Amino acid sequence: DAGVTQSPTHLIKTRGQQVTLRCSPKSGHDTVSWYQQALGQGPQFIFQYYEEEERQRGNFPDRFSGHQFPNYSSELNVNALLLGDSALYLCASSFGETNEKLFFGSGTQLSVL
Amino acid sequence: QKEVEQNSGPLSVPEGAIASLNCTYSDRVSQSFFWYRQYSGKSPELIMSIYSNGDKEDGRFTAQLNKASQYVSLLIRDSQPSDSATYLCAVRRLTGGGNKLTFGTGTQLKVEL
């Protein structure tokens, strides 16, 4: 039973570029959330996807966008990268929109130079 | 005032001792409370959840909740070196659906031989 898988594991970009991160939820899960974890900080909620729609959004600018596909996998897109976007991006999945038992992937470490 | 506050530590305890980790939250509408363990370079892993006032025990872990004081704690009995990690407190506000969690910055625990 595969857990939450994320790709790539590491990514280096330069300021102004765009990036796409990918996530496949745990088998049987239909809801995906994305979190940003800066060094020494706790994860911060970016948004949640359920039934291919964005259901909740945290305090992140419109440069952060996402998508959920019919197979429940998800993408996180960040445009016009800033140095401050350097962080570990975590995907979490759950079964059901309101199920708070989240399973996290191992994350994508994004470095913006 | 941060929504979820934790002492960043490090908290050092000798092997076999009780480790006590504390968390306060500001939003009285918070309904669900979680403790996640995060090893360095790894993703957060759920270890305890608690929803009502009092204590909840699971093996060597005990979560304590006091909603009147807006306080959550995690006790780890018979601490082992393998317990050395960052412990993240998370809360969920039961409004508007979704399963957004708000995390604290985490407390680093070091269990010394």
Side-chain angles (χ1 to χ4, degrees), chain A residues 7-45:
Chain A
S7 63
T9 54
H10 295 84
L11 206 50
I12 299 175
K13 293 286 188 178
T14 57
R15 281 182 301 171
Q17 285 189 312
Q18 178 264 344
V19 68
T20 297
L21 311 181
R22 296 177 175 81
C23 171
S24 292
K26 181 178 169 63
S27 179
H29 286 187
D30 57 6
T31 302
V32 172
S33 300
W34 288 91
Y35 287 79
Q36 179 196 66
Q37 187 174 24
L39 192 63
Q41 302 297 314
Q44 276 197 293
F45 176 78

PDB file of all heavy atoms in Angstrom, chain A residues 7-45:
ATOM      1  N   SER A   7       6.923  14.311  -5.891  1.00  0.00           N
ATOM      2  CA  SER A   7       8.065  14.452  -6.789  1.00  0.00           C
ATOM      3  C   SER A   7       8.167  15.881  -7.285  1.00  0.00           C
ATOM      4  O   SER A   7       7.147  16.581  -7.382  1.00  0.00           O
ATOM      5  CB  SER A   7       7.919  13.493  -7.981  1.00  0.00           C
ATOM      6  OG  SER A   7       6.774  13.831  -8.753  1.00  0.00           O
ATOM      7  N   PRO A   8       9.383  16.357  -7.554  1.00  0.00           N
ATOM      8  CA  PRO A   8      10.645  15.685  -7.230  1.00  0.00           C
ATOM      9  C   PRO A   8      10.963  15.823  -5.742  1.00  0.00           C
ATOM     10  O   PRO A   8      10.248  16.498  -5.020  1.00  0.00           O
ATOM     11  CB  PRO A   8      11.647  16.473  -8.077  1.00  0.00           C
ATOM     12  CG  PRO A   8      11.074  17.857  -8.119  1.00  0.00           C
ATOM     13  CD  PRO A   8       9.570  17.679  -8.152  1.00  0.00           C
ATOM     14  N   THR A   9      12.037  15.208  -5.290  1.00  0.00           N
ATOM     15  CA  THR A   9      12.414  15.323  -3.883  1.00  0.00           C
ATOM     16  C   THR A   9      13.174  16.624  -3.626  1.00  0.00           C
ATOM     17  O   THR A   9      13.034  17.205  -2.543  1.00  0.00           O
ATOM     18  CB  THR A   9      13.281  14.143  -3.445  1.00  0.00           C
ATOM     19  OG1 THR A   9      14.390  14.034  -4.337  1.00  0.00           O
ATOM     20  CG2 THR A   9      12.495  12.850  -3.476  1.00  0.00           C
ATOM     21  N   HIS A  10      13.947  17.034  -4.592  1.00  0.00           N
ATOM     22  CA  HIS A  10      14.700  18.282  -4.476  1.00  0.00           C
ATOM     23  C   HIS A  10      14.608  19.052  -5.788  1.00  0.00           C
ATOM     24  O   HIS A  10      14.516  18.451  -6.869  1.00  0.00           O
ATOM     25  CB  HIS A  10      16.186  18.029  -4.170  1.00  0.00           C
ATOM     26  CG  HIS A  10      16.422  17.396  -2.851  1.00  0.00           C
ATOM     27  ND1 HIS A  10      16.350  16.038  -2.658  1.00  0.00           N
ATOM     28  CD2 HIS A  10      16.721  17.939  -1.642  1.00  0.00           C
ATOM     29  CE1 HIS A  10      16.606  15.769  -1.387  1.00  0.00           C
ATOM     30  NE2 HIS A  10      16.831  16.891  -0.755  1.00  0.00           N
ATOM     31  N   LEU A  11      14.654  20.373  -5.671  1.00  0.00           N
ATOM     32  CA  LEU A  11      14.530  21.220  -6.853  1.00  0.00           C
ATOM     33  C   LEU A  11      15.266  22.523  -6.593  1.00  0.00           C
ATOM     34  O   LEU A  11      15.137  23.103  -5.510  1.00  0.00           O
ATOM     35  CB  LEU A  11      13.049  21.507  -7.101  1.00  0.00           C
ATOM     36  CG  LEU A  11      12.525  21.842  -8.486  1.00  0.00           C
ATOM     37  CD1 LEU A  11      13.008  20.840  -9.521  1.00  0.00           C
ATOM     38  CD2 LEU A  11      11.010  21.870  -8.457  1.00  0.00           C
ATOM     39  N   ILE A  12      16.025  22.964  -7.569  1.00  0.00           N
ATOM     40  CA  ILE A  12      16.703  24.261  -7.471  1.00  0.00           C
ATOM     41  C   ILE A  12      16.226  25.134  -8.620  1.00  0.00           C
ATOM     42  O   ILE A  12      16.269  24.726  -9.783  1.00  0.00           O
ATOM     43  CB  ILE A  12      18.235  24.100  -7.522  1.00  0.00           C
ATOM     44  CG1 ILE A  12      18.729  23.249  -6.356  1.00  0.00           C
ATOM     45  CG2 ILE A  12      18.912  25.491  -7.492  1.00  0.00           C
ATOM     46  CD1 ILE A  12      20.223  22.949  -6.399  1.00  0.00           C
ATOM     47  N   LYS A  13      15.762  26.317  -8.288  1.00  0.00           N
ATOM     48  CA  LYS A  13      15.262  27.264  -9.275  1.00  0.00           C
ATOM     49  C   LYS A  13      15.883  28.632  -9.015  1.00  0.00           C
ATOM     50  O   LYS A  13      16.472  28.875  -7.945  1.00  0.00           O
ATOM     51  CB  LYS A  13      13.730  27.362  -9.204  1.00  0.00           C
ATOM     52  CG  LYS A  13      12.995  26.114  -9.634  1.00  0.00           C
ATOM     53  CD  LYS A  13      13.040  25.946 -11.130  1.00  0.00           C
ATOM     54  CE  LYS A  13      12.154  24.831 -11.601  1.00  0.00           C
ATOM     55  NZ  LYS A  13      12.162  24.704 -13.095  1.00  0.00           N
ATOM     56  N   THR A  14      15.740  29.524  -9.970  1.00  0.00           N
ATOM     57  CA  THR A  14      16.187  30.890  -9.778  1.00  0.00           C
ATOM     58  C   THR A  14      14.981  31.814  -9.662  1.00  0.00           C
ATOM     59  O   THR A  14      13.861  31.457 -10.085  1.00  0.00           O
ATOM     60  CB  THR A  14      17.095  31.357 -10.927  1.00  0.00           C
ATOM     61  OG1 THR A  14      16.377  31.201 -12.153  1.00  0.00           O
ATOM     62  CG2 THR A  14      18.372  30.537 -10.974  1.00  0.00           C
ATOM     63  N   ARG A  15      15.222  32.968  -9.090  1.00  0.00           N
ATOM     64  CA  ARG A  15      14.142  33.945  -8.905  1.00  0.00           C
ATOM     65  C   ARG A  15      13.421  34.228 -10.214  1.00  0.00           C
ATOM     66  O   ARG A  15      14.051  34.349 -11.271  1.00  0.00           O
ATOM     67  CB  ARG A  15      14.707  35.243  -8.352  1.00  0.00           C
ATOM     68  CG  ARG A  15      14.983  35.227  -6.874  1.00  0.00           C
ATOM     69  CD  ARG A  15      15.505  36.566  -6.406  1.00  0.00           C
ATOM     70  NE  ARG A  15      16.736  36.949  -7.083  1.00  0.00           N
ATOM     71  CZ  ARG A  15      17.303  38.140  -6.978  1.00  0.00           C
ATOM     72  NH1 ARG A  15      16.740  39.074  -6.246  1.00  0.00           N
ATOM     73  NH2 ARG A  15      18.418  38.404  -7.618  1.00  0.00           N
ATOM     74  N   GLY A  16      12.120  34.346 -10.152  1.00  0.00           N
ATOM     75  CA  GLY A  16      11.329  34.667 -11.322  1.00  0.00           C
ATOM     76  C   GLY A  16      10.836  33.457 -12.101  1.00  0.00           C
ATOM     77  O   GLY A  16       9.906  33.581 -12.905  1.00  0.00           O
ATOM     78  N   GLN A  17      11.447  32.306 -11.847  1.00  0.00           N
ATOM     79  CA  GLN A  17      11.017  31.109 -12.565  1.00  0.00           C
ATOM     80  C   GLN A  17       9.718  30.566 -11.990  1.00  0.00           C
ATOM     81  O   GLN A  17       9.206  31.027 -10.966  1.00  0.00           O
ATOM     82  CB  GLN A  17      12.119  30.031 -12.490  1.00  0.00           C
ATOM     83  CG  GLN A  17      13.303  30.301 -13.389  1.00  0.00           C
ATOM     84  CD  GLN A  17      14.242  29.096 -13.445  1.00  0.00           C
ATOM     85  OE1 GLN A  17      14.616  28.517 -12.420  1.00  0.00           O
ATOM     86  NE2 GLN A  17      14.628  28.725 -14.667  1.00  0.00           N
ATOM     87  N   GLN A  18       9.206  29.549 -12.663  1.00  0.00           N
ATOM     88  CA  GLN A  18       7.984  28.889 -12.240  1.00  0.00           C
ATOM     89  C   GLN A  18       8.319  27.437 -11.904  1.00  0.00           C
ATOM     90  O   GLN A  18       9.247  26.857 -12.464  1.00  0.00           O
ATOM     91  CB  GLN A  18       6.950  28.953 -13.381  1.00  0.00           C
ATOM     92  CG  GLN A  18       5.633  28.272 -13.101  1.00  0.00           C
ATOM     93  CD  GLN A  18       5.575  26.846 -13.644  1.00  0.00           C
ATOM     94  OE1 GLN A  18       6.382  26.449 -14.470  1.00  0.00           O
ATOM     95  NE2 GLN A  18       4.642  26.071 -13.141  1.00  0.00           N
ATOM     96  N   VAL A  19       7.538  26.852 -10.974  1.00  0.00           N
ATOM     97  CA  VAL A  19       7.812  25.479 -10.573  1.00  0.00           C
ATOM     98  C   VAL A  19       6.495  24.718 -10.409  1.00  0.00           C
ATOM     99  O   VAL A  19       5.464  25.307 -10.043  1.00  0.00           O
ATOM    100  CB  VAL A  19       8.631  25.446  -9.265  1.00  0.00           C
ATOM    101  CG1 VAL A  19       7.812  25.937  -8.075  1.00  0.00           C
ATOM    102  CG2 VAL A  19       9.172  24.064  -8.990  1.00  0.00           C
ATOM    103  N   THR A  20       6.544  23.430 -10.707  1.00  0.00           N
ATOM    104  CA  THR A  20       5.390  22.556 -10.498  1.00  0.00           C
ATOM    105  C   THR A  20       5.810  21.372  -9.651  1.00  0.00           C
ATOM    106  O   THR A  20       6.775  20.679  -9.984  1.00  0.00           O
ATOM    107  CB  THR A  20       4.823  22.056 -11.829  1.00  0.00           C
ATOM    108  OG1 THR A  20       4.345  23.169 -12.594  1.00  0.00           O
ATOM    109  CG2 THR A  20       3.666  21.095 -11.591  1.00  0.00           C
ATOM    110  N   LEU A  21       5.104  21.162  -8.559  1.00  0.00           N
ATOM    111  CA  LEU A  21       5.356  20.036  -7.672  1.00  0.00           C
ATOM    112  C   LEU A  21       4.174  19.074  -7.766  1.00  0.00           C
ATOM    113  O   LEU A  21       3.033  19.515  -7.941  1.00  0.00           O
ATOM    114  CB  LEU A  21       5.536  20.517  -6.227  1.00  0.00           C
ATOM    115  CG  LEU A  21       6.495  21.681  -6.011  1.00  0.00           C
ATOM    116  CD1 LEU A  21       6.578  22.036  -4.525  1.00  0.00           C
ATOM    117  CD2 LEU A  21       7.851  21.377  -6.578  1.00  0.00           C
ATOM    118  N   ARG A  22       4.460  17.794  -7.614  1.00  0.00           N
ATOM    119  CA  ARG A  22       3.422  16.787  -7.806  1.00  0.00           C
ATOM    120  C   ARG A  22       3.233  15.906  -6.588  1.00  0.00           C
ATOM    121  O   ARG A  22       4.184  15.655  -5.835  1.00  0.00           O
ATOM    122  CB  ARG A  22       3.755  15.942  -9.044  1.00  0.00           C
ATOM    123  CG  ARG A  22       3.736  16.746 -10.333  1.00  0.00           C
ATOM    124  CD  ARG A  22       4.143  15.950 -11.553  1.00  0.00           C
ATOM    125  NE  ARG A  22       3.992  16.757 -12.762  1.00  0.00           N
ATOM    126  CZ  ARG A  22       4.886  17.659 -13.187  1.00  0.00           C
ATOM    127  NH1 ARG A  22       6.003  17.853 -12.509  1.00  0.00           N
ATOM    128  NH2 ARG A  22       4.667  18.340 -14.289  1.00  0.00           N
ATOM    129  N   CYS A  23       2.002  15.410  -6.446  1.00  0.00           N
ATOM    130  CA  CYS A  23       1.661  14.603  -5.278  1.00  0.00           C
ATOM    131  C   CYS A  23       0.643  13.534  -5.665  1.00  0.00           C
ATOM    132  O   CYS A  23      -0.358  13.833  -6.322  1.00  0.00           O
ATOM    133  CB  CYS A  23       1.073  15.503  -4.189  1.00  0.00           C
ATOM    134  SG  CYS A  23       0.362  14.619  -2.783  1.00  0.00           S
ATOM    135  N   SER A  24       0.912  12.310  -5.225  1.00  0.00           N
ATOM    136  CA  SER A  24      -0.076  11.242  -5.355  1.00  0.00           C
ATOM    137  C   SER A  24      -0.519  10.844  -3.962  1.00  0.00           C
ATOM    138  O   SER A  24       0.318  10.513  -3.123  1.00  0.00           O
ATOM    139  CB  SER A  24       0.532  10.029  -6.071  1.00  0.00           C
ATOM    140  OG  SER A  24       0.799  10.333  -7.415  1.00  0.00           O
ATOM    141  N   PRO A  25      -1.811  10.895  -3.684  1.00  0.00           N
ATOM    142  CA  PRO A  25      -2.273  10.605  -2.329  1.00  0.00           C
ATOM    143  C   PRO A  25      -2.140   9.129  -1.977  1.00  0.00           C
ATOM    144  O   PRO A  25      -1.947   8.281  -2.852  1.00  0.00           O
ATOM    145  CB  PRO A  25      -3.742  11.036  -2.354  1.00  0.00           C
ATOM    146  CG  PRO A  25      -4.148  10.878  -3.782  1.00  0.00           C
ATOM    147  CD  PRO A  25      -2.929  11.214  -4.591  1.00  0.00           C
ATOM    148  N   LYS A  26      -2.251   8.845  -0.718  1.00  0.00           N
ATOM    149  CA  LYS A  26      -2.277   7.471  -0.217  1.00  0.00           C
ATOM    150  C   LYS A  26      -3.471   6.753  -0.855  1.00  0.00           C
ATOM    151  O   LYS A  26      -4.517   7.362  -1.099  1.00  0.00           O
ATOM    152  CB  LYS A  26      -2.421   7.504   1.302  1.00  0.00           C
ATOM    153  CG  LYS A  26      -2.443   6.168   2.014  1.00  0.00           C
ATOM    154  CD  LYS A  26      -2.542   6.394   3.516  1.00  0.00           C
ATOM    155  CE  LYS A  26      -2.830   5.096   4.261  1.00  0.00           C
ATOM    156  NZ  LYS A  26      -1.757   4.121   4.101  1.00  0.00           N
ATOM    157  N   SER A  27      -3.290   5.477  -1.127  1.00  0.00           N
ATOM    158  CA  SER A  27      -4.349   4.685  -1.740  1.00  0.00           C
ATOM    159  C   SER A  27      -5.637   4.785  -0.924  1.00  0.00           C
ATOM    160  O   SER A  27      -5.642   4.624   0.302  1.00  0.00           O
ATOM    161  CB  SER A  27      -3.892   3.225  -1.816  1.00  0.00           C
ATOM    162  OG  SER A  27      -4.897   2.428  -2.374  1.00  0.00           O
ATOM    163  N   GLY A  28      -6.735   5.090  -1.624  1.00  0.00           N
ATOM    164  CA  GLY A  28      -8.024   5.217  -0.946  1.00  0.00           C
ATOM    165  C   GLY A  28      -8.355   6.626  -0.487  1.00  0.00           C
ATOM    166  O   GLY A  28      -9.482   6.888  -0.065  1.00  0.00           O
ATOM    167  N   HIS A  29      -7.393   7.520  -0.552  1.00  0.00           N
ATOM    168  CA  HIS A  29      -7.628   8.914  -0.141  1.00  0.00           C
ATOM    169  C   HIS A  29      -8.065   9.754  -1.330  1.00  0.00           C
ATOM    170  O   HIS A  29      -7.632   9.531  -2.460  1.00  0.00           O
ATOM    171  CB  HIS A  29      -6.364   9.505   0.466  1.00  0.00           C
ATOM    172  CG  HIS A  29      -6.076   8.993   1.841  1.00  0.00           C
ATOM    173  ND1 HIS A  29      -5.063   9.513   2.619  1.00  0.00           N
ATOM    174  CD2 HIS A  29      -6.661   8.021   2.586  1.00  0.00           C
ATOM    175  CE1 HIS A  29      -5.046   8.889   3.785  1.00  0.00           C
ATOM    176  NE2 HIS A  29      -5.998   7.976   3.776  1.00  0.00           N
ATOM    177  N   ASP A  30      -8.924  10.752  -1.052  1.00  0.00           N
ATOM    178  CA  ASP A  30      -9.459  11.573  -2.127  1.00  0.00           C
ATOM    179  C   ASP A  30      -9.237  13.068  -1.929  1.00  0.00           C
ATOM    180  O   ASP A  30      -9.673  13.872  -2.748  1.00  0.00           O
ATOM    181  CB  ASP A  30     -10.960  11.306  -2.286  1.00  0.00           C
ATOM    182  CG  ASP A  30     -11.730  11.558  -0.988  1.00  0.00           C
ATOM    183  OD1 ASP A  30     -11.137  12.041   0.005  1.00  0.00           O
ATOM    184  OD2 ASP A  30     -12.943  11.255  -0.962  1.00  0.00           O
ATOM    185  N   THR A  31      -8.584  13.429  -0.839  1.00  0.00           N
ATOM    186  CA  THR A  31      -8.391  14.846  -0.506  1.00  0.00           C
ATOM    187  C   THR A  31      -6.902  15.114  -0.346  1.00  0.00           C
ATOM    188  O   THR A  31      -6.192  14.341   0.302  1.00  0.00           O
ATOM    189  CB  THR A  31      -9.123  15.186   0.804  1.00  0.00           C
ATOM    190  OG1 THR A  31     -10.509  14.868   0.655  1.00  0.00           O
ATOM    191  CG2 THR A  31      -8.981  16.664   1.143  1.00  0.00           C
ATOM    192  N   VAL A  32      -6.458  16.203  -0.943  1.00  0.00           N
ATOM    193  CA  VAL A  32      -5.046  16.564  -0.887  1.00  0.00           C
ATOM    194  C   VAL A  32      -4.906  17.987  -0.371  1.00  0.00           C
ATOM    195  O   VAL A  32      -5.623  18.892  -0.814  1.00  0.00           O
ATOM    196  CB  VAL A  32      -4.392  16.446  -2.276  1.00  0.00           C
ATOM    197  CG1 VAL A  32      -2.975  17.021  -2.240  1.00  0.00           C
ATOM    198  CG2 VAL A  32      -4.358  14.995  -2.735  1.00  0.00           C
ATOM    199  N   SER A  33      -3.990  18.164   0.568  1.00  0.00           N
ATOM    200  CA  SER A  33      -3.656  19.504   1.064  1.00  0.00           C
ATOM    201  C   SER A  33      -2.171  19.738   0.864  1.00  0.00           C
ATOM    202  O   SER A  33      -1.381  18.802   0.890  1.00  0.00           O
ATOM    203  CB  SER A  33      -3.988  19.637   2.553  1.00  0.00           C
ATOM    204  OG  SER A  33      -5.363  19.424   2.786  1.00  0.00           O
ATOM    205  N   TRP A  34      -1.821  20.992   0.693  1.00  0.00           N
ATOM    206  CA  TRP A  34      -0.418  21.373   0.537  1.00  0.00           C
ATOM    207  C   TRP A  34      -0.018  22.298   1.679  1.00  0.00           C
ATOM    208  O   TRP A  34      -0.780  23.190   2.072  1.00  0.00           O
ATOM    209  CB  TRP A  34      -0.206  22.099  -0.791  1.00  0.00           C
ATOM    210  CG  TRP A  34      -0.276  21.213  -1.993  1.00  0.00           C
ATOM    211  CD1 TRP A  34      -1.383  20.915  -2.735  1.00  0.00           C
ATOM    212  CD2 TRP A  34       0.810  20.503  -2.597  1.00  0.00           C
ATOM    213  NE1 TRP A  34      -1.044  20.059  -3.760  1.00  0.00           N
ATOM    214  CE2 TRP A  34       0.295  19.801  -3.705  1.00  0.00           C
ATOM    215  CE3 TRP A  34       2.179  20.396  -2.322  1.00  0.00           C
ATOM    216  CZ2 TRP A  34       1.089  18.998  -4.535  1.00  0.00           C
ATOM    217  CZ3 TRP A  34       2.981  19.606  -3.147  1.00  0.00           C
ATOM    218  CH2 TRP A  34       2.434  18.918  -4.230  1.00  0.00           C
ATOM    219  N   TYR A  35       1.188  22.074   2.185  1.00  0.00           N
ATOM    220  CA  TYR A  35       1.752  22.883   3.258  1.00  0.00           C
ATOM    221  C   TYR A  35       3.159  23.323   2.880  1.00  0.00           C
ATOM    222  O   TYR A  35       3.890  22.591   2.209  1.00  0.00           O
ATOM    223  CB  TYR A  35       1.817  22.085   4.566  1.00  0.00           C
ATOM    224  CG  TYR A  35       0.478  21.862   5.229  1.00  0.00           C
ATOM    225  CD1 TYR A  35      -0.388  20.867   4.779  1.00  0.00           C
ATOM    226  CD2 TYR A  35       0.078  22.640   6.314  1.00  0.00           C
ATOM    227  CE1 TYR A  35      -1.618  20.661   5.384  1.00  0.00           C
ATOM    228  CE2 TYR A  35      -1.150  22.441   6.930  1.00  0.00           C
ATOM    229  CZ  TYR A  35      -1.989  21.445   6.454  1.00  0.00           C
ATOM    230  OH  TYR A  35      -3.209  21.254   7.065  1.00  0.00           O
ATOM    231  N   GLN A  36       3.528  24.507   3.342  1.00  0.00           N
ATOM    232  CA  GLN A  36       4.889  25.013   3.170  1.00  0.00           C
ATOM    233  C   GLN A  36       5.569  25.031   4.529  1.00  0.00           C
ATOM    234  O   GLN A  36       5.011  25.552   5.494  1.00  0.00           O
ATOM    235  CB  GLN A  36       4.858  26.444   2.607  1.00  0.00           C
ATOM    236  CG  GLN A  36       6.238  27.058   2.413  1.00  0.00           C
ATOM    237  CD  GLN A  36       6.172  28.572   2.240  1.00  0.00           C
ATOM    238  OE1 GLN A  36       5.796  29.297   3.150  1.00  0.00           O
ATOM    239  NE2 GLN A  36       6.537  29.046   1.051  1.00  0.00           N
ATOM    240  N   GLN A  37       6.755  24.447   4.611  1.00  0.00           N
ATOM    241  CA  GLN A  37       7.485  24.443   5.873  1.00  0.00           C
ATOM    242  C   GLN A  37       8.850  25.081   5.670  1.00  0.00           C
ATOM    243  O   GLN A  37       9.756  24.488   5.082  1.00  0.00           O
ATOM    244  CB  GLN A  37       7.638  23.029   6.435  1.00  0.00           C
ATOM    245  CG  GLN A  37       8.255  23.010   7.827  1.00  0.00           C
ATOM    246  CD  GLN A  37       8.286  21.632   8.454  1.00  0.00           C
ATOM    247  OE1 GLN A  37       8.270  20.622   7.774  1.00  0.00           O
ATOM    248  NE2 GLN A  37       8.319  21.582   9.785  1.00  0.00           N
ATOM    249  N   ALA A  38       8.991  26.304   6.159  1.00  0.00           N
ATOM    250  CA  ALA A  38      10.284  26.972   6.115  1.00  0.00           C
ATOM    251  C   ALA A  38      11.181  26.397   7.206  1.00  0.00           C
ATOM    252  O   ALA A  38      10.702  25.809   8.182  1.00  0.00           O
ATOM    253  CB  ALA A  38      10.095  28.481   6.319  1.00  0.00           C
ATOM    254  N   LEU A  39      12.473  26.588   7.060  1.00  0.00           N
ATOM    255  CA  LEU A  39      13.445  26.035   7.999  1.00  0.00           C
ATOM    256  C   LEU A  39      13.166  26.521   9.415  1.00  0.00           C
ATOM    257  O   LEU A  39      13.032  27.726   9.646  1.00  0.00           O
ATOM    258  CB  LEU A  39      14.858  26.423   7.557  1.00  0.00           C
ATOM    259  CG  LEU A  39      16.001  25.699   8.268  1.00  0.00           C
ATOM    260  CD1 LEU A  39      15.946  24.212   7.974  1.00  0.00           C
ATOM    261  CD2 LEU A  39      17.338  26.276   7.827  1.00  0.00           C
ATOM    262  N   GLY A  40      13.039  25.584  10.351  1.00  0.00           N
ATOM    263  CA  GLY A  40      12.812  25.943  11.743  1.00  0.00           C
ATOM    264  C   GLY A  40      11.393  26.352  12.080  1.00  0.00           C
ATOM    265  O   GLY A  40      11.131  26.808  13.199  1.00  0.00           O
ATOM    266  N   GLN A  41      10.489  26.209  11.140  1.00  0.00           N
ATOM    267  CA  GLN A  41       9.092  26.590  11.341  1.00  0.00           C
ATOM    268  C   GLN A  41       8.187  25.376  11.221  1.00  0.00           C
ATOM    269  O   GLN A  41       8.592  24.319  10.726  1.00  0.00           O
ATOM    270  CB  GLN A  41       8.674  27.635  10.306  1.00  0.00           C
ATOM    271  CG  GLN A  41       9.513  28.897  10.321  1.00  0.00           C
ATOM    272  CD  GLN A  41       9.391  29.643  11.622  1.00  0.00           C
ATOM    273  OE1 GLN A  41       8.300  29.845  12.146  1.00  0.00           O
ATOM    274  NE2 GLN A  41      10.522  30.055  12.183  1.00  0.00           N
ATOM    275  N   GLY A  42       6.949  25.548  11.674  1.00  0.00           N
ATOM    276  CA  GLY A  42       5.962  24.512  11.451  1.00  0.00           C
ATOM    277  C   GLY A  42       5.357  24.621  10.066  1.00  0.00           C
ATOM    278  O   GLY A  42       5.474  25.668   9.420  1.00  0.00           O
ATOM    279  N   PRO A  43       4.721  23.578   9.584  1.00  0.00           N
ATOM    280  CA  PRO A  43       4.062  23.646   8.273  1.00  0.00           C
ATOM    281  C   PRO A  43       2.966  24.710   8.268  1.00  0.00           C
ATOM    282  O   PRO A  43       2.239  24.853   9.251  1.00  0.00           O
ATOM    283  CB  PRO A  43       3.471  22.246   8.108  1.00  0.00           C
ATOM    284  CG  PRO A  43       4.274  21.370   9.010  1.00  0.00           C
ATOM    285  CD  PRO A  43       4.638  22.233  10.183  1.00  0.00           C
ATOM    286  N   GLN A  44       2.880  25.427   7.152  1.00  0.00           N
ATOM    287  CA  GLN A  44       1.823  26.424   6.967  1.00  0.00           C
ATOM    288  C   GLN A  44       0.914  25.974   5.832  1.00  0.00           C
ATOM    289  O   GLN A  44       1.394  25.647   4.735  1.00  0.00           O
ATOM    290  CB  GLN A  44       2.432  27.785   6.617  1.00  0.00           C
ATOM    291  CG  GLN A  44       2.868  28.598   7.814  1.00  0.00           C
ATOM    292  CD  GLN A  44       3.050  30.055   7.431  1.00  0.00           C
ATOM    293  OE1 GLN A  44       3.950  30.389   6.669  1.00  0.00           O
ATOM    294  NE2 GLN A  44       2.181  30.911   7.928  1.00  0.00           N
ATOM    295  N   PHE A  45      -0.379  26.027   6.083  1.00  0.00           N
ATOM    296  CA  PHE A  45      -1.382  25.556   5.135  1.00  0.00           C
ATOM    297  C   PHE A  45      -1.431  26.470   3.917  1.00  0.00           C
ATOM    298  O   PHE A  45      -1.573  27.693   4.045  1.00  0.00           O
ATOM    299  CB  PHE A  45      -2.740  25.527   5.837  1.00  0.00           C
ATOM    300  CG  PHE A  45      -3.900  25.145   4.978  1.00  0.00           C
ATOM    301  CD1 PHE A  45      -4.134  23.819   4.640  1.00  0.00           C
ATOM    302  CD2 PHE A  45      -4.781  26.102   4.511  1.00  0.00           C
ATOM    303  CE1 PHE A  45      -5.223  23.460   3.863  1.00  0.00           C
ATOM    304  CE2 PHE A  45      -5.874  25.765   3.733  1.00  0.00           C
ATOM    305  CZ  PHE A  45      -6.095  24.433   3.407  1.00  0.00           C
TER     306      PHE A  45
END
